């Protein structure tokens, strides 16, 4: 069989299989890279360019994940009574509360073809404090403001744990509390926005995008799958070679049976 494998025809087929298997291996390596970095936050070319909020996302529709951490600018005013405390937050080694207040957006756009007379507002993470009394007494600045902030995704709703005390910032939950339309996002004002957001009693909260999601299982599975394809290509080549060798061997050792006619004494007569 080895002699058959070194004939020009089968060498050509082996080279073709080798090229195909090499392509599969490179695809496997690409999937491994995706498995390691798929969930990494990709810094876009416009991440630090201030963009009007209404050009990034509309109210009442999900925010695309690609817009997370974008720097946006929005004008409007706080709704002081629309404030919640978010417990279980940590900053600088301390456990405490986020103070989150709804911010009505000027010239807000409702997505999905919706219309209505409710105010359109977005939750703003005004700051952090370890003291509950300080959090409850913190007042949002009055009047009209222009905020420069990072945009972050909304969180999944969970049951409230007290009067205007929650464990997640969920716009699906907040719109029911305050009877407003909202965005599928929240805002984290920039550090120089203290006068427009937190005041001296609250610590600034920085939005931290998830930098690494670890290993992506689906991409890892695809990486293994491409290697299986590469091995299968060699297996198919070997099976075809073996079948061809068996066919040729069978032809070379074919036996013929000669039957004499009735009454015939020998094959010559």
């Amino acid at each position: 069989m080895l002699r058959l494998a070194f004939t020009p025809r089968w060498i050509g087929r082996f080279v073709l299989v080798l090229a195909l298997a090499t392509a599969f291996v490179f695809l496997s390596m690409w999937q491994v890279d995706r498995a390691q970095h798929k969930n990494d936050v990709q810094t876009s070319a416009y991440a630090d360019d201030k963009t009007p909020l209404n050009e990034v996302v509309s109210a009442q529709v999900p925010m695309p994940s690609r817009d997370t951490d974008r720097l946006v600018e929005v004008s409007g005013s706080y709704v002081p009574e629309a404030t919640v405390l978010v417990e279980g937050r940590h900053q600088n080694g301390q456990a405490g509360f986020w103070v989150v207040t709804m911010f009505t957006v000027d010239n807000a756009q409702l997505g999905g073809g919706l219309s209505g007379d409710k105010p359109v507002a977005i939750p703003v993470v005004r700051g952090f404090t370890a003291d509950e009394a300080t959090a409850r007494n913190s007042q949002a600045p009055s009047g009209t403001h222009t905020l420069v902030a990072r945009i972050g995704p909304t969180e999944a709703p969970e049951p409230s744990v007290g009067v205007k005390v929650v464990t997640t910032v969920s716009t699906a939950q907040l719109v029911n509390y305050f009877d407003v339309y909202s965005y599928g996002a929240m805002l984290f004002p920039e550090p120089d926005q203290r006068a427009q957001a937190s005041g001296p009693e609250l610590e600034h909260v920085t939005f931290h995008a998830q930098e690494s999601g670890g290993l992506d299982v689906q991409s890892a599975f695809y990486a293994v799958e491409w290697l299986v394809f590469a091995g299968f290509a060699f297996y198919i080549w070997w099976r075809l070679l073996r079948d061809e060798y068996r066919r040729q061997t069978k032809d070379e050792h074919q036996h013929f049976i000669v039957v004499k006619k009735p009454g015939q004494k020998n094959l010559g007569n």
Side-chain angles (χ1 to χ4, degrees):
M1 192 166 70
L2 186 62
R3 181 179 301 175
L4 177 62
F6 278 95
T7 60
R9 179 184 178 188
W10 284 98
I11 289 177
R13 290 180 177 180
F14 181 80
V15 171
L16 179 62
V17 169
L18 185 62
L20 190 62
T22 301
F24 289 157
V25 170
F26 275 110
L27 286 171
S28 176
M29 294 171 60
W30 174 68
Q31 288 290 356
V32 168
D33 185 68
R34 281 177 58 84
Q36 294 175 339
H37 303 294
K38 181 178 179 181
N39 294 325
D40 290 357
V41 172
Q42 298 179 358
T43 304
S44 61
Y46 50 73
D48 293 321
D49 295 337
K50 284 190 297 185
T51 307
L53 175 67
N54 290 323
E55 294 182 11
V56 176
V57 64
S58 297
Q60 295 298 112
V61 295
M63 182 190 72
S65 59
R66 66 177 180 273
D67 291 321
T68 297
D69 199 31
R70 284 191 66 172
L71 191 64
V72 298
E73 186 175 55
V74 57
S75 296
S77 57
Y78 289 101
V79 185
E81 64 274 14
T83 297
V84 294
L85 309 186
V86 187
E87 73 168 17
R89 303 294 156 146
H90 294 81
Q91 186 156 306
N92 298 326
Q94 288 186 308
F97 303 84
W98 280 359
V99 180
V100 177
T101 302
M102 301 301 288
F103 185 87
T104 57
V105 178
D106 293 341
N107 303 315
Q109 303 174 18
L110 284 174
L114 298 175
S115 61
D117 298 328
K118 296 180 183 180
V120 181
I122 189 169
V124 175
V125 182
R126 293 179 39 236
F128 168 88
T129 178
D131 181 62
E132 183 175 354
T134 300
R136 290 190 178 278
N137 293 328
S138 176
Q139 298 295 316
S142 59
T144 301
H145 300 275
T146 298
L147 284 179
V148 177
R150 295 282 173 182
I151 189 169
T154 186
E155 300 173 341
E158 292 185 5
S160 59
V161 294
V163 179
K164 292 188 176 182
V165 180
V166 296
T167 56
T168 61
V169 184
S170 167
T171 53
Q173 193 173 32
L174 295 179
V175 295
N176 292 324
Y177 286 166
F178 305 121
D179 195 29
V180 296
Y181 290 124
S182 189
Y183 296 77
M186 55 180 158
L187 297 181
F188 294 78
E190 289 288 88
D192 60 356
Q193 298 288 295
R194 182 176 293 273
Q196 289 82 10
S198 61
E201 72 279 7
L202 300 178
E203 298 177 27
H204 174 260
V205 176
T206 302
F207 173 63
H208 296 287
Q210 182 182 5
E211 293 185 354
S212 178
L215 182 70
D216 180 70
V217 177
Q218 186 179 36
S219 293
F221 173 80
Y222 288 152
V224 174
E225 194 174 54
W226 284 119
L227 291 178
V228 171
F229 289 161
F232 191 68
F234 285 108
Y235 174 74
I236 291 295
W237 177 86
W238 176 80
R239 281 293 303 268
L240 292 173
L241 176 66
R242 188 192 66 175
D243 292 346
E244 176 68 12
Y245 174 76
R246 287 182 174 179
R247 187 187 63 80
Q248 292 184 7
T249 303
K250 182 179 179 180
D251 291 343
E252 290 174 0
H253 295 83
Q254 209 168 38
H255 297 282
F256 296 93
I257 300 176
V258 180
V259 180
K260 295 190 297 183
K261 296 178 181 180
Q264 186 178 7
K265 295 183 178 180
N266 56 58
L267 296 178
N269 298 321

